[in-house]
Amino acid sequence: MQPAPARPRARRAATPVLALAFGLAVPACDDPRAPAPGASAPAPAASAPEAAASAAPAPSAAAPAQAAKRDMPPRPVPIGSSGPIQPSAPAEQQMMAIQYTLAMVSPQPTDPLVDKAYLEGILPKLAAAARTADKGKTPPSPVKATKGNRKIEVDMGKGCTERTPSNLLAQRAGSSLREAFDAGILVVSCHDSLWECHQSTRDPDDVLCHAAPRR
């Protein structure tokens, strides 16, 4: 993954499209990458704080070799760029982000079944990791499995970036994207008061962040 560009300036309100699709009920991502060329520029706002987990993911976070490529809907920014998709982005780009992140967590017939033992073991480790990495007030129950246990969501007060999900797994919870995929987990996300970042376990470079402020 290329080094993260300058951090974007975040707005505190999402557009109606993202608000409708994501419910604005979950906390969001604090310091994702700057928008890729061609994406709409963010409106002026307060500077986002520095990343919560800035170190590069450990080598063990490599994509699983057996994860076959699959057809995906159009991505609002190229693979290798996390965005983020700003609140001021065109509705078409925001809808592309919604459709893409839903496809990320949709299982395929050849995907591994969910390993409940792995899931039960990793959730408390990620909860402890989130409390350590959080730069804000961590919710009482910060980690949960959703989408039929195919996605792990980590809620934070502040500090969610495109690197946070893989860093929490590899550096703080003693696991990796490969192990998560082998256990049937397809996406690990972080979500704070501004952003949500979705990390595919199939491909370390496949991370997409969007504005998703909580109420």
Side-chain angles (χ1 to χ4, degrees):
M1 182 184 298
Q2 299 178 350
R7 302 181 178 94
R9 294 178 178 272
R11 289 177 55 179
R12 296 191 178 275
T15 60
V17 176
L18 283 177
L20 179 62
F22 294 100
L24 303 184
V26 209
C29 304
D30 182 26
D31 187 20
R33 293 181 179 179
S40 298
S47 297
E50 64 178 301
S54 58
S60 60
Q66 71 272 31
K69 295 291 183 180
R70 58 175 178 162
D71 291 334
M72 293 286 285
R75 209 173 187 274
V77 289
I79 287 282
S81 172
S82 64
I85 308 306
Q86 299 284 343
S88 57
E92 180 182 359
Q93 190 180 43
Q94 295 190 50
M95 187 57 65
M96 288 172 65
I98 292 167
Q99 293 171 344
Y100 192 87
T101 54
L102 289 175
M104 288 171 73
V105 78
S106 299
Q108 301 297 301
T110 55
D111 287 338
L113 297 176
V114 175
D115 184 338
K116 292 186 178 180
Y118 173 88
L119 191 63
E120 291 172 359
I122 201 64
L123 293 182
K125 292 180 181 178
L126 284 174
R131 294 185 179 99
T132 301
D134 204 338
K135 293 181 177 294
K137 184 177 180 180
T138 310
S141 300
V143 180
K144 58 182 176 291
T146 64
K147 306 296 183 184
N149 294 331
R150 293 294 187 170
K151 180 181 181 183
I152 296 178
E153 297 179 0
V154 180
D155 292 344
M156 306 173 66
K158 184 184 296 183
C160 175
T161 77
E162 77 278 3
R163 295 189 180 99
T164 301
S166 59
N167 285 346
L168 289 176
L169 273 174
Q171 298 178 359
R172 298 179 182 271
S175 187
S176 67
L177 295 178
R178 178 187 294 273
E179 289 182 1
F181 177 81
D182 289 342
I185 309 301
L186 303 180
V187 172
V188 180
S189 72
C190 63
H191 196 176
D192 67 12
S193 60
L194 294 175
W195 307 99
E196 183 172 14
C197 290
H198 306 256
Q199 168 70 67
S200 170
T201 61
R202 297 173 182 275
D203 182 355
D205 292 333
D206 191 1
V207 190
L208 189 61
C209 302
H210 60 80
R214 66 170 175 240
R215 292 174 179 172

